[in-house]
């Protein structure tokens, strides 16, 4: 099967084919997602919460990310592998970001690195892209800033906040980002940003109009022991196997049956 690349997902946006994405942190689940047809596998720093049991993503290190990304990379033959740069591994300088992004690609097998932040990160994105590193942006609810945001709250409500996020999205695109995660923002704003951009948007709690959707694997399997966010749906219920649940998720994303209004914000 032909590997998914950043060019593939750009073409999917043009063709209006929805992009199905899930997180994974190990070899077996990565292989399962890959063979069921997930387009994009994210090794998120959410591993700090769902693999390590922390209350936030802040304790995750580059070494943790490299380890889990390399496990996932060995399970993948088709999907695009996007891996997070964790907290304080890229904010200090563009050179720091380049060194850690290089590790994520060379040792972690990542195809694309993801970093959080809007316009302020645009020069760093440009620095990475000019040196051959594909970048995924992440705006809206950025979990690495949970203490600054005052909790895991919806972002982009109100005209000023919506304008801020729209400016951030354009700045990341102009800096060369290949795709953009929109997390926990009103659906209408996510739809407007998606239509304004040439690069694909991947929503998580951002409504059905994004070009693709992502969920944390443990949320969509209903195995996270603490409360899951409103935007998460347990696809395991009514399914006989994990593989069936993943197939149901992919089908729901492709047919725009997920997320519904009950998983979205106004
Ligand atoms: O950390 C993560 O898993 C993520 C995705 C869910 C977008 O950032």
């Amino acid at each position: 099967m032909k590997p998914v690349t950043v060019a593939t997902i750009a073409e999917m946006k043009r063709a209006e084919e929805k992009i199905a994405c899930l997180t994974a942190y190990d070899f077996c689940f990565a292989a399962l997602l890959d063979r069921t047809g997930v387009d994009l596998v994210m090794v998120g720093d959410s591993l700090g919460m769902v693999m390590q049991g922390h209350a936030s993503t802040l304790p995750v290190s580059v070494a943790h990310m490299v380890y889990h990304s390399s496990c996932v990379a060995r399970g993948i033959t088709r999907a695009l592998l996007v891996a997070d740069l964790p907290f304080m591994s890229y904010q200090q300088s563009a050179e720091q970001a380049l060194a850690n992004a290089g590790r994520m690609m060379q040792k972690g097998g990542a195809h694309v690195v993801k970093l959080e932040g809007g316009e302020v990160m645009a020069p760093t994105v440009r620095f990475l892209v000019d040196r051959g590193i594909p970048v995924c942006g992440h705006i809206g609810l950025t979990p690495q800033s949970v203490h600054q945001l005052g909790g895991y709250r919806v972002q982009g409500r109100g005209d000023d906040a919506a304008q801020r996020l729209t400016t951030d999205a354009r700045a990341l695109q102009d800096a060369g980002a290949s795709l953009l995660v929109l997390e926990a923002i009103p659906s209408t704003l996510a739809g407007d940003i998606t239509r304004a951009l040439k690069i694909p948007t991947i929503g998580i709690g951002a409504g059905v109009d994004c070009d693709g959707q992502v969920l944390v694997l443990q949320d969509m399997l209903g195995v996270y022991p603490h409360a899951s966010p409103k935007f998460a749906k347990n696809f395991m219920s009514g399914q006989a196997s994990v593989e069936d649940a993943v197939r149901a998720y992919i089908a729901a994303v492709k047919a725009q049956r997920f997320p519904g209004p009950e998983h979205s914000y106004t």
Side-chain angles (χ1 to χ4, degrees):
M1 218 182 281
K2 239 177 130 188
V4 178
T5 66
V6 288
T8 316
I9 58 164
E11 184 46 40
M12 287 171 81
K13 175 171 178 126
R14 276 192 290 275
E16 297 182 17
E17 183 190 340
K18 295 289 177 183
I19 302 160
C21 171
L22 284 170
T23 67
Y25 315 95
D26 68 5
F27 169 76
C28 286
F29 276 109
L32 186 149
L33 300 190
D34 198 61
R35 70 173 174 268
T36 48
V38 166
D39 300 305
L40 206 151
V41 173
M42 273 190 195
V43 184
D45 60 358
S46 50
L47 70 84
M49 300 171 82
V50 299
M51 300 296 290
Q52 299 174 334
H54 293 295
S56 78
T57 60
L58 302 196
V60 177
S61 67
V62 174
H64 296 148
M65 290 305 305
V66 167
Y67 171 74
H68 285 280
S69 185
S70 67
C71 297
V72 167
R74 288 190 283 274
I76 282 180
T77 57
R78 173 184 171 271
L80 186 69
L81 198 173
V82 180
D84 267 337
L85 287 174
F87 184 58
M88 284 304 133
S89 71
Y90 59 94
Q91 289 92 340
Q92 221 167 47
S93 66
E95 287 77 10
Q96 183 206 25
L98 182 65
N100 287 320
R103 279 177 74 190
M104 290 306 302
M105 294 182 80
Q106 284 190 305
K107 307 269 184 220
H111 303 138
V112 177
V113 297
K114 178 162 83 60
L115 52 81
E116 297 183 6
E119 194 172 22
V120 70
M121 294 313 302
T124 299
V125 172
R126 172 50 64 200
F127 192 80
L128 297 181
V129 171
D130 283 349
R131 285 155 183 79
I133 302 200
V135 176
C136 173
H138 183 158
I139 60 172
L141 170 49
T142 45
Q144 291 174 16
S145 306
V146 60
H147 298 304
Q148 192 173 45
L149 299 176
Y152 296 102
R153 298 162 184 272
V154 184
Q155 303 297 309
R157 281 187 171 142
D159 290 347
D160 287 354
Q163 187 50 54
R164 179 71 258 156
L165 284 181
T166 307
T167 304
D168 286 339
R170 279 191 192 282
L172 292 167
Q173 169 175 274
D174 293 349
S178 296
L179 67 161
L180 178 62
V181 169
L182 301 176
E183 179 161 353
I185 67 173
S187 306
T188 48
L189 173 61
D192 289 344
I193 291 175
T194 297
R195 284 182 290 277
L197 296 185
K198 291 196 187 72
I199 59 171
T201 61
I202 308 294
I204 175 161
V208 75
D209 289 335
C210 295
D211 297 308
Q213 300 294 331
V214 61
L215 281 180
V216 169
L217 184 65
Q218 282 74 0
D219 285 339
M220 70 79 66
L221 295 177
V223 297
Y224 188 56
H226 305 308
S228 285
K230 164 191 161 100
F231 54 70
K233 177 175 172 183
N234 177 357
F235 280 85
M236 235 356 249
S237 59
Q239 300 295 341
S241 68
V242 169
E243 199 153 322
D244 286 349
V246 173
R247 285 189 203 285
Y249 168 76
I250 296 171
V253 169
K254 299 274 178 190
Q256 299 178 52
R257 280 184 276 107
F258 177 79
E262 70 278 27
H263 304 112
S264 307
Y265 300 101
T266 52

